[in-house]
Amino acid sequence: MSLFLIVALPFLGAMLPGLMNNAGRQACAGVTFTVTLAAFIGLLTNLPSVLAGEVVTTGVNWLPAIGLNVNLMLDALGFFFAMLILGIGLLIIAYARFYLAREDNMGEFFTYLLLFQGAMVGIVLSDNILVLLIFWELTSLSSFLLIGYWKHLPEGRQGARMALTVTGMGGLGLIGGMLILGNIAGSYDLSVILQNRETIQESPLYLPALLLILLGAFTKSAQFPFHFWLPHAMAAPTPVSAYLHSATMVKAGIFLMARLWPVLAGTPEWFMIVTTAGLITMVLGAVIALFKHDLKALLAFSTVSHLGLITMLLGTGTAFGAMAAMFHILNHATFKAALFMSAGIVDHETHTRDIRRLGGLRRLMPITFWIVTFAALSMAGIPFLNGFLSKEMMLEEAYRTALFGPYWLVPALAVLGSLFSAAYCFRLISHTFLGPKRDDYPAMPHDPGPGLWLPPALLIIPVIVIGCAPFLAEPFVKLVTAAVLGDAAQVPKAYFKIWHGLVPALYMSIAAVIGGLVLLTIFKPLLKMWDAAPRPEAKTIFEAVIAAAIAAARALIHGLHNGAFSRYAAIAGVTMIAVGYHAWTTGTVGPATRTAQPAGPVEIAGWIMLVAATCGLVLMHRNRLLSLILIGIVGLMVSVGFVFFSAPDLAMTQITVEVVTIILLLLALNFLPNRSPIESTVLRRVRDGAIALAAGGATFALSYHFLLRDAISTPISEFHLANSYKGGGGTNVVNVILVDFRGFDTFGEIIVLGIAALLIYALTETLLSGPVRARLLNRKPDQPRAGNMHPMMMVVLTRVLMPLVMLVGFYIFLRGHNEPGGGFIAGLIVSIGVVMQYMASGFSWTSARLRYPYHGVIGAGVLIAGLTGIGSWFFGKPFLTSDFTYVRIPPFEKFELATAALFDLGVFLAVVGAVMLSLESFSRLARRAHVKDSEHPMDIDPSREEIDPADPASPKLEGA
Amino acid sequence: MGLELLVASAIGILTAAGMYLVLRLRTFPVIMGISLLTYAVNVFLFASGRLTVSAPPILTDATTYADPLPQALVLTAIVISFGMTAVVVMIALGAYLGANDDEVNDPVTDPDDAVEKAT
């Protein structure tokens, strides 16, 4: 089966349990089981190639430009982990079917489980590290959902949050580390990275990359000092604990270290960090586990300890260590999953997991007893069970490892860890199952149905088989080890045997087991000492750190973001000035290359008007109507400036925009107060003035400097000038740039304009449908109204002007390609013509004569522009390639037909629609209840006689 | 006095006035300030093509033309800034009509209280 399908199956299947939820628990679990089984069988179809030592690969280029390709590969290491994930997954699904209570939402559970499974399979089959990172984050997220599955339990929510925080933090570090690694190797493909051992280890960035990657691996695999989240994640339902925390998620960090072993391992840094962390975790986890009374907490800390053991083995950097690590992963997955499931059975049947309330279950739950006994003895390292073999390999490796000088340190710590490990295993068996039968169990214990005990019992088979006949596992483990080692080292020759002779590891093993038994006999006094000793509580520390982080974030946010716009504006302004100042002081400025052009009296007069209007605006801004007039002068002078400086198109655009803007602001001022009150203190005004002067001075200095200097490289507009006529068929270069060279920009801009207009329309609708509507309808105008709202002269004049305006607009539009003009300007001109009708003849009269809604006009404009662009696809050209030709219809002169004109038509329509929709929305707000909108264009019409002076609704009386 | 100095100082004055008005406390002056800043930015962008008198970028027999690219960019910027002004005005209007108050700053309250009330 294709690797893609193996990874995709759990994700696709994740939808099914949710859908099957109503079909019953059996169907729900059944479909999940089937999906996993299909993926598992798919994996097994690749077994022959893997056994032959081949690497199965497949891939598609997704974003090759940034090295992100969905490449998958399956070698022995990936196969090993995928087999654990899917195989144990099958058992867990069967177990969960019987474990979950009737009130639990099974569809939700299995959906999360399959999501998690898919993410895990994705991690172990990824060939591209960017893809691996995506799956890595997915496991953090889906495990968050699984751990917090029992949403009603506060411990579940807290545990899930803690797990997400810690593994999410590690995930961030991992992203950084992987990106550095990819940069050093020059590729994000694992197969390439793994070939570059020397390059990577010699790079100065090796250490930061290593630290960040290890941060990711250690948090995921609960290594000291990040081990604390794992026990809290035990608030999850037991199937989750058994799955995530024995075989899969916590092994992801181990997998990563094994995957990158050939390029990262073998250096002193790797050895020091990984071995130390592993050793500490192993001993610490084992010691804490001994004193835990909750069965699952005991198993959780024992998992922490065993993960430390595997980490330590990978840290030594020898081929033998790697082989022992792989072997122990296999063994640990089998006995630990069985133990977790058994703990769940005990909890399920006795309603407690507290060891102090248990004991004497041996006769009551014989099947569970035997499962636990085999699994726990294997974990303790008793011969003829698989845990013994890998533990002895570990001790042998530890015996040969020297850290920080003294040769005895590592072996001694390894023995200490194994000793406590043996002790808690013995305690688990004896305090739960041995001893006298009690009569105060919370529920009467008995063995569960086969649905619950069969999955762990199946796991006991490999525990015993491998334990008695290690040579069965040897070829496979060596194959996996070869995949881990790559070209970096040779697979060791050592054989897997129960009896190695009287080697040091055997003595260490015996010492550990005997020591464990001794510890168990003196457990009670030990426990008293343990309880009396002060210990830091990880959860309290974690919560204090989180609270401190939240407080810091809150202080920062409240300091910067207190809802005061003025403050944001000031911060933004000052920051920009500061950044500009920094650039100014650190950069270099060349000598002036242009000579200043002399200014005549007319230009100076224009400048004075502009400056006077601007200063007047600042001084008199409290009078709002006056400030509108003043800003009109500013706009006019800017337009004049554009004319003077050879930009006729800009001048036409600016002056038409000026008209519609002023109309818009007048409409708005209709509602807003006429004056701004004096509120700010003198100090504040001085401060604002200082910021404003700094900003003004900065822009002045910057523009004055570049105006006196030529561009440092030839402007690209040389190209536009040279090709405007040849390639675009127009002599107005600005218009050709708009509709041709940079047509895609323009296309985007008309869309933005249309969206802005629609936004205004939507806001108006919201206002008019809310509580504001009543206030608007009943508002009293604050100024007396003119007696004649629609003066006859104006109505007549605008109607006469209308065709003329349309003609001018049409003319401006047509000549746009060769002379100043074009769609933008024509659109604005036509809008002004239509707005005049609204102003002169009234809203209702004009709307009633409107043939097309403005939304439609905007849409038609964008559509025409877009279709013009798409049209070029039919000629095999890229989007918006323009073409033109000259045609001659006999009585007329030769004229030009260009597709760009069609595009410009789209621009024209979009602009008309957008401007009109905005203005129309504003004027809709202005309608009032007691003033009836006249159906007639003029208030006074001698031929009409229906006006009743007594009618208060008569517009004639308005303002009287 | 050179044309360059006139244009540069106009940009500076427009920016300073715009910045000052943006920092006012009521919506209308802030909108005016934004408009002035728009002028300043547009003229600034336009000036990046350097100042050319009497040489519009309409192809004729002439040899020198004003730089057409900044003109094209500023042209769309002018139209877009109309859309932006309209949206800002609409937001200001909605806020005023909804709260009967045209202040730009939120009243000073403890944000935590606001969050608690909202939830």
Side-chain angles (χ1 to χ4, degrees):
Chain A
M1 192 188 282
S2 159
L3 299 185
F4 279 125
L5 205 56
I6 299 175
V7 177
L9 259 176
F11 285 113
L12 297 176
M15 295 171 210
L16 295 176
L19 292 176
M20 299 296 276
N21 214 5
N22 288 336
R25 299 151 62 81
Q26 205 70 37
C28 208
V31 74
T32 316
F33 192 84
T34 315
V35 166
T36 311
L37 190 66
F40 189 61
I41 293 172
L43 183 75
L44 289 183
T45 58
N46 289 301
L47 182 62
S49 344
V50 173
L51 285 181
E54 292 168 27
V55 178
V56 186
T57 56
T58 180
V60 276
N61 287 350
W62 182 14
L63 295 171
I66 61 164
L68 177 50
N69 300 320
V70 188
N71 291 348
L72 301 178
M73 74 167 180
L74 182 72
D75 61 354
L77 180 65
F79 183 88
F80 173 47
F81 273 88
M83 190 187 68
L84 286 180
I85 294 161
L86 293 170
I88 296 190
L90 281 174
L91 300 177
I92 296 288
I93 291 164
Y95 176 82
R97 153 71 186 86
F98 297 96
Y99 181 85
L100 288 181
R102 223 155 251 294
E103 353 18 303
D104 295 326
N105 185 340
M106 196 175 259
E108 188 188 341
F109 181 83
F110 280 129
T111 294
Y112 296 162
L113 195 79
L114 282 178
L115 280 180
F116 173 78
Q117 196 179 60
M120 279 308 300
V121 174
I123 288 184
V124 299
L125 295 191
S126 294
D127 184 19
N128 186 291
I129 51 176
L130 298 177
V131 175
L132 187 147
L133 286 173
I134 295 173
F135 285 121
W136 186 276
E137 294 300 323
L138 272 178
T139 58
S140 293
L141 288 176
S142 50
S143 69
F144 169 77
L145 293 171
L146 280 171
I147 296 170
Y149 171 71
W150 278 332
K151 302 178 191 69
H152 54 279
L153 295 181
E155 301 85 41
R157 299 196 300 267
Q158 287 160 8
R161 244 185 354 243
M162 190 191 277
L164 185 67
T165 312
V166 176
T167 55
M169 177 191 75
L172 270 182
L174 184 67
I175 291 175
M178 287 299 214
L179 291 182
I180 297 177
L181 192 67
N183 263 341
I184 302 175
S187 165
Y188 291 116
D189 283 336
L190 266 174
S191 35
V192 179
I193 292 174
L194 293 183
Q195 303 298 322
N196 282 305
R197 180 187 167 93
E198 280 79 25
T199 327
I200 290 168
Q201 298 198 346
E202 281 159 15
S203 163
L205 288 173
Y206 166 75
L207 189 61
L210 176 71
L211 290 177
L212 288 169
I213 291 173
L214 287 181
L215 181 67
F218 282 4
T219 49
K220 201 77 157 184
S221 286
Q223 293 302 296
F224 179 83
F226 307 110
H227 61 285
F228 56 88
W229 69 264
L230 185 59
H232 289 287
M234 290 299 140
T238 301
V240 174
S241 313
Y243 195 34
L244 269 64
H245 307 130
S246 69
T248 54
M249 186 168 102
V250 292
K251 296 274 169 67
I254 304 278
F255 169 79
L256 191 72
M257 287 191 268
R259 182 91 277 178
L260 295 175
W261 195 89
V263 288
L264 294 182
T267 61
E269 295 94 337
W270 167 277
F271 174 61
M272 296 280 273
I273 301 170
V274 180
T275 313
T276 314
L279 263 179
I280 296 177
T281 315
M282 178 170 88
V283 176
L284 193 71
V287 172
I288 300 176
L290 179 61
F291 299 107
K292 284 289 163 189
H293 303 303
D294 181 352
L295 277 180
K296 273 175 79 178
L298 188 155
L299 291 177
F301 277 104
S302 105
T303 305
V304 169
S305 167
H306 280 265
L307 291 170
L309 187 160
I310 299 169
T311 305
M312 191 266 285
L313 286 174
L314 286 171
T316 58
T318 65
F320 186 79
M323 184 167 77
M326 290 306 114
F327 194 27
H328 197 67
I329 290 172
L330 175 67
N331 298 337
H332 179 251
T334 51
F335 64 68
K336 191 49 71 64
L339 281 174
F340 265 119
M341 287 196 254
S342 308
I345 292 173
V346 171
D347 185 20
H348 203 256
E349 303 307 331
T350 65
H351 294 190
T352 181
R353 297 195 310 243
D354 192 333
I355 297 181
R356 288 167 298 185
R357 305 185 61 186
L358 295 168
L361 292 179
R362 184 164 63 97
R363 303 239 175 267
L364 296 166
M365 305 174 74
I367 303 177
T368 318
F369 166 67
W370 283 112
I371 294 172
V372 171
T373 306
F374 279 119
L377 288 181
S378 172
M379 182 155 76
I382 301 297
F384 304 109
L385 295 168
N386 61 1
F388 168 76
L389 300 163
S390 46
K391 190 161 260 185
E392 205 168 58
M393 284 166 82
M394 180 275 284
L395 291 170
E396 188 181 337
E397 177 70 12
Y399 182 70
R400 288 192 237 144
T401 305
L403 187 69
F404 300 121
Y407 67 93
W408 50 264
L409 183 68
V410 179
L413 284 175
V415 171
L416 187 68
S418 309
L419 193 149
F420 274 93
S421 178
Y424 65 67
C425 291
F426 297 146
R427 176 173 180 232
L428 175 66
I429 301 169
S430 65
H431 288 193
T432 313
F433 291 97
L434 303 181
K437 220 185 281 183
R438 296 168 63 152
D439 48 12
D440 59 345
Y441 302 119
M444 200 49 222
H446 57 86
D447 264 325
L452 280 180
W453 65 254
L454 201 54
L458 285 174
L459 284 170
I460 294 303
I461 298 174
V463 169
I464 299 174
V465 169
I466 297 177
C468 296
F471 54 87
L472 287 177
E474 185 179 325
F476 184 70
V477 172
K478 284 196 168 164
L479 197 65
V480 175
T481 312
V484 171
L485 300 178
D487 304 330
Q490 289 293 315
V491 180
K493 292 271 184 298
Y495 297 108
F496 290 14
K497 290 187 293 196
I498 302 171
W499 179 250
H500 284 276
L502 295 172
V503 288
L506 185 69
Y507 295 121
M508 289 157 80
S509 210
I510 293 170
V513 172
I514 294 176
L517 284 171
V518 172
L519 276 190
L520 188 66
T521 53
I522 55 164
F523 180 73
K524 276 206 173 128
L526 270 182
L527 184 65
K528 262 194 199 125
M529 275 165 60
W530 175 260
D531 284 340
R535 294 186 305 277
E537 177 56 50
K539 193 175 177 186
T540 342
I541 299 172
F542 174 79
E543 271 163 10
V545 170
I546 294 290
I550 290 174
R554 183 169 290 163
L556 183 69
I557 289 170
H558 288 186
L560 295 173
H561 194 113
N562 65 346
F565 171 80
S566 309
R567 181 182 291 202
Y568 311 157
I571 290 174
V574 171
T575 311
M576 280 184 240
I577 296 167
V579 170
Y581 181 76
H582 174 75
W584 182 264
T585 46
T586 52
T588 51
V589 183
T593 52
R594 293 171 73 99
T595 46
Q597 304 170 59
V602 180
E603 291 87 66
I604 295 177
W607 180 84
I608 290 174
M609 276 179 77
L610 178 90
V611 172
T614 312
C615 295
L617 180 56
V618 170
L619 294 175
M620 291 178 264
H621 75 267
R622 297 188 195 289
N623 184 339
R624 294 182 172 181
L625 201 60
L626 184 63
S627 51
L628 260 191
I629 295 170
L630 288 171
I631 206 166
I633 297 176
V634 175
L636 195 67
M637 292 330 290
V638 170
S639 319
V640 172
F642 283 143
V643 175
F644 179 71
F645 290 115
S646 323
D649 286 277
L650 285 192
M652 289 163 83
T653 316
Q654 183 73 63
I655 201 151
T656 40
V657 162
E658 212 54 52
V659 173
V660 287
T661 310
I662 296 290
I663 293 174
L664 180 110
L665 288 172
L666 273 173
L667 274 169
L669 208 52
N670 195 14
F671 305 96
L672 293 170
N674 281 332
R675 293 192 60 82
S676 310
I678 300 174
E679 282 173 315
S680 41
T681 59
V682 177
L683 189 70
R684 188 192 167 99
R685 272 178 272 167
V686 169
R687 187 200 73 182
D688 294 349
I691 295 177
L693 284 181
T699 44
F700 164 70
L702 181 61
S703 28
Y704 190 59
H705 268 83
F706 77 62
L707 279 175
L708 288 180
R709 281 157 184 81
D710 281 309
I712 49 167
S713 56
T714 320
I716 53 171
S717 33
E718 299 289 324
F719 168 83
H720 295 137
L721 285 167
N723 288 286
S724 172
Y725 189 70
K726 266 191 291 176
T731 53
N732 180 1
V733 187
V734 174
N735 184 266
V736 175
I737 291 176
L738 281 177
V739 298
D740 195 334
F741 293 131
R742 302 189 65 86
F744 201 54
D745 272 7
T746 312
F747 185 53
E749 270 149 13
I750 59 174
I751 292 175
V752 171
L753 197 62
I755 292 173
L758 290 177
L759 178 61
I760 292 168
Y761 175 78
L763 284 172
T764 314
E765 283 293 301
T766 319
L767 274 183
L768 285 180
S769 60
V772 173
R773 180 186 167 81
R775 193 187 310 161
L776 270 176
L777 288 175
N778 297 313
R779 125 195 97 89
K780 293 260 182 299
D782 52 356
Q783 301 219 331
R785 301 274 132 161
N788 192 351
M789 286 179 84
H790 305 295
M792 189 193 294
M793 278 297 284
M794 199 167 155
V795 174
V796 173
L797 199 62
T798 49
R799 282 218 223 140
V800 173
L801 272 175
M802 186 67 183
L804 209 62
V805 173
M806 298 298 267
L807 191 70
V808 171
F810 191 58
Y811 171 67
I812 293 279
F813 175 77
L814 279 187
R815 70 175 214 156
H817 220 42
N818 294 313
E819 296 287 325
F824 275 110
I825 303 167
L828 288 162
I829 289 176
V830 168
S831 308
I832 295 174
V834 182
V835 169
M836 285 199 308
Q837 305 304 313
Y838 274 98
M839 283 165 41
S841 306
F843 188 88
S844 304
W845 184 86
T846 319
S847 316
R849 279 152 188 79
L850 203 65
R851 196 79 58 80
Y852 308 103
Y854 296 125
H855 311 74
V857 177
I858 299 176
V862 173
L863 216 57
I864 288 177
L867 288 176
T868 311
I870 288 173
S872 50
W873 287 348
F874 294 103
F875 300 94
K877 298 276 172 58
F879 188 64
L880 272 176
T881 310
S882 73
D883 198 12
F884 62 95
T885 180
Y886 293 92
V887 290
R888 188 191 172 103
I889 303 171
F892 304 106
E893 279 197 38
K894 192 174 80 163
F895 63 96
E896 182 197 355
L897 279 180
T899 58
L902 210 57
F903 181 77
D904 218 11
L905 178 68
V907 174
F908 166 81
L909 288 176
V911 170
V912 172
V915 171
M916 289 315 302
L917 187 62
S918 319
L919 291 177
E920 193 215 17
S921 302
F922 273 94
S923 52
R924 269 170 8 123
L925 290 176
R927 304 167 76 188
R928 281 173 299 156
H930 64 282
V931 184
K932 258 223 180 85
D933 263 325
S934 171
E935 290 296 314
H936 307 286
M938 283 170 266
D939 299 333
I940 304 163
D941 180 356
S943 66
R944 235 175 28 231
E945 285 170 11
E946 72 268 38
I947 290 180
D948 179 11
D951 179 7
S954 165
K956 238 178 110 181
L957 297 179
E958 167 67 18
Chain B
M1 210 177 340
L3 288 176
E4 279 77 8
L5 186 66
L6 291 186
V7 171
S9 58
I11 294 172
I13 290 166
L14 284 171
T15 311
M19 196 67 213
Y20 181 77
L21 288 181
V22 162
L23 295 175
R24 295 305 86 210
L25 297 173
R26 298 285 171 148
T27 51
F28 200 77
V30 170
I31 293 168
M32 291 283 123
I34 294 174
S35 299
L36 286 184
L37 280 180
T38 310
Y39 289 130
V41 170
N42 285 345
V43 175
F44 179 85
L45 284 181
F46 170 71
S48 69
R50 310 302 186 275
L51 303 178
T52 319
V53 181
S54 309
I58 312 290
L59 297 180
T60 53
D61 297 333
T63 48
T64 54
Y65 297 104
D67 194 339
L69 190 62
Q71 295 195 15
L73 297 181
V74 171
L75 197 150
T76 48
I78 293 173
V79 181
I80 293 276
S81 63
F82 163 75
M84 184 199 69
T85 310
V87 171
V88 173
V89 169
M90 189 67 224
I91 292 171
L93 207 55
Y96 176 67
L97 292 173
N100 210 8
D101 169 20
D102 65 343
E103 287 183 25
V104 289
N105 293 345
D106 284 350
V108 182
T109 48
D110 188 1
D112 287 337
D113 294 347
V115 170
E116 272 159 31
K117 268 174 211 155
T119 49

